């Protein structure tokens, strides 16, 4: 096999074999979905969308689907022990199980990815109700995380068959969160490149950015990261692995407490980060704090920005610039007791990058939290 030909074929087929329209939903396996749904409604401003459980004919688990603009979360809890969901929660704690992707053809997505080495999670299944049909299929990715391909072009219902509309009397206002910008995976030592290859070979993604341990290191700890993107850029999966440092890195802490590889953070987009973060904070969402000195030379580093510095400083919002524009971002503390999954709030003003200029300040802030937990 000629290498040049293989490369050319890969490039040609990248745009074709797995067209994705974005993230369909993110499903979390959690210990208590009723309370988790309340938390995401109250703290993050999600709206009740749909419910599945014993009342809808699902006997072994309960799921709440909640939505804010194009952002859909599903919170699932098992009703009994001794099943895959209960085992997942016992091992990992609350965390992301499914990164579901919107496709036109779930059968083709399954055939094309499994043909290229993707490990089957779910053969194509057709779910029907009076609102039409949804076709699902899925493959495994890092750790116990999976990708489910969702074809819903022939479906008119609120979410999917098996769910009924969830109408609630409790409807806190939205906070301006719009869609999933990217989802980051933490993988083990020397596992970043194999997973980069998985996204290239199996899903036709491209490596659009790489950060080595010189880019992402503090005095004490380091990590490496490569950003994988699908053809149209709607789906971006950065992959982190730990790197050698004087002390334990945040990725190692995650791997230790999640008991394996998994989703580290989901980045949620907003058009007005000051408004969104003000709202989130007032509802009790906790964020990492960089030192006030971060803002002293901010404008020297990033040039002119439209926002006033003072509210950014007050809220701890970080700014970074690349060739195409700038971005504003902020990271929550973990949203469960294990130091595992957290959220990023991001507003892009032209920039397509991930805030490289903030890595150092951010990881120092993370290390302070890690130190307080005795895990540095
Ligand atoms: Fe991120």
């Amino acid at each position: 096999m000629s290498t040049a030909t293989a490369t050319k074929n890969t490039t040609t087929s990248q745009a074709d074999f797995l067209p994705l329209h974005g993230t369909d939903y993110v499903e979390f396996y959690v210990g208590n979905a009723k309370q988790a749904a309340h938390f995401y409604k109250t703290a993050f401003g999600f709206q009740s969308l749909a419910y599945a459980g014993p009342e809808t004919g699902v006997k072994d688990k309960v799921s709440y689907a909640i939505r804010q603009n194009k952002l859909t979360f599903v919170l699932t809890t098992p009703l009994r022990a001794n099943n895959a969901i209960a085992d997942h929660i016992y091992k990992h704690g609350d965390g992301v199980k499914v990164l579901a992707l919107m496709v036109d053809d779930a059968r083709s997505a399954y055939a094309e990815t499994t043909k290229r080495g993707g490990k089957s999670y779910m053969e194509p299944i057709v779910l029907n109700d009076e609102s039409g049909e949804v076709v699902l299929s899925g493959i495994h990715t890092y750790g116990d995380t999976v990708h489910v391909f969702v074809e819903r072009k022939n479906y008119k219902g609120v979410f999917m068959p098996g769910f009924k509309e969830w109408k609630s009397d409790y409807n806190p206002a939205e906070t301006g969160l719009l869609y999933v910008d990217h989802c980051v995976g933490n993988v083990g030592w020397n596992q970043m490149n194999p997973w980069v290859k998985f996204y290239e070979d199996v899903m036709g993604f491209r490596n659009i950015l790489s950060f080595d341990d010189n880019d992402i290191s503090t005095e004490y700890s380091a990590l490496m990261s490569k950003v994988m993107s699908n053809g149209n850029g709607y789906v971006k999966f950065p992959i982190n692995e730990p790197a050698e440092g004087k002390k334990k890195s945040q990725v190692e802490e995650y791997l230790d407490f999640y008991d394996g590889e998994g989703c580290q953070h989901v980045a949620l987009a907003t058009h007005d980060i000051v408004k969104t973060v003000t709202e989130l904070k007032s509802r009790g969402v906790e964020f990492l704090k960089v030192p006030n000195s971060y803002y002293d030379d901010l404008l020297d580093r990033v040039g002119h920005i439209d926002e006033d510095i003072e509210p950014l400083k007050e809220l701890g919002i970080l700014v970074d610039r690349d060739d195409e524009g700038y971005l504003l971002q902020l990271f929550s503390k973990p949203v469960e007791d294990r130091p595992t999954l957290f959220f990023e709030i991001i507003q892009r003003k032209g920039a397509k990058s991930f805030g490289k200029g903030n890595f150092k300040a951010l990881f120092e802030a993370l290390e302070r939290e890690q130190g307080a937990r005795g895990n540095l």
Side-chain angles (χ1 to χ4, degrees), residues 313-342:
K313 187 173 172 177
E314 207 169 290
L315 296 165
I317 293 166
L318 311 175
V319 191
D320 194 31
R321 184 178 285 280
D322 65 20
D323 297 342
E324 294 168 277
Y326 67 97
L327 61 82
L328 304 112
Q329 63 186 168
L330 183 56
F331 296 80
S332 82
K333 293 187 180 181
V335 289
E336 54 290 299
D337 290 305
R338 296 194 197 193
T340 52
L341 176 76
F342 60 88

Side-chain angles (χ1 to χ4, degrees), residues 24 102-108 124-137 149-163:
D24 193 279
M102 221 177 283
V103 298
D104 281 332
D105 185 340
R107 293 179 185 87
S108 158
I125 51 163
V126 182
L127 306 175
N128 286 292
D129 67 12
E130 63 285 354
S131 301
E133 68 167 42
V134 169
V135 188
L136 302 177
S137 64
F149 303 116
V150 184
E151 172 189 331
R152 53 170 74 257
K153 62 179 186 285
N154 297 315
Y155 193 66
K156 302 261 179 298
V158 287
F159 184 54
M160 76 172 63
F163 285 77

Side-chain angles (χ1 to χ4, degrees), residues 37-103:
H38 190 286
F39 170 75
Y40 285 107
K41 286 173 65 176
T42 303
F44 285 85
F46 281 79
Q47 305 297 304
S48 302
L49 178 68
Y51 168 86
E55 299 85 345
T56 68
V58 179
K59 295 299 181 198
D60 56 346
K61 63 178 182 179
V62 165
S63 295
Y64 297 82
I66 52 176
R67 180 169 286 169
Q68 186 165 183
N69 296 300
K70 290 181 178 171
L71 198 50
T72 307
F73 284 179
V74 178
L75 303 152
T76 295
T77 209
L79 290 171
R80 295 174 191 283
N82 300 317
N83 57 71
I85 304 175
D87 293 349
H88 195 280
I89 296 164
Y90 179 76
K91 184 175 166 68
H92 302 299
D94 288 6
V96 172
K97 175 62 181 181
V98 182
L99 296 169
L101 304 168
M102 221 177 283
V103 298

Side-chain angles (χ1 to χ4, degrees), residues 5 7 90 104 113 119 135 149 160-162 239 274 280 287 332 334 360 375:
T5 310
T7 307
Y90 179 76
D104 281 332
T113 51
K119 189 178 146 207
V135 188
F149 303 116
M160 76 172 63
I239 310 288
V274 170
L280 294 174
F287 292 96
S332 82
K360 196 167 160 42
N375 294 331

Side-chain angles (χ1 to χ4, degrees), residues 182 184 265 267 331 344 354:
H182 60 274
V184 179
H265 74 265
F331 296 80
E344 172 182 351
F354 293 82

Side-chain angles (χ1 to χ4, degrees), residues 27 30 62 127 155 174 184 193 207-208 213 225 230 257 294 339 375:
E27 181 169 11
V30 298
V62 165
L127 306 175
Y155 193 66
E174 296 190 345
V184 179
N193 286 328
N207 174 211
I208 55 166
D213 41 346
S225 189
N230 80 316
F257 282 85
Y294 171 89
N375 294 331

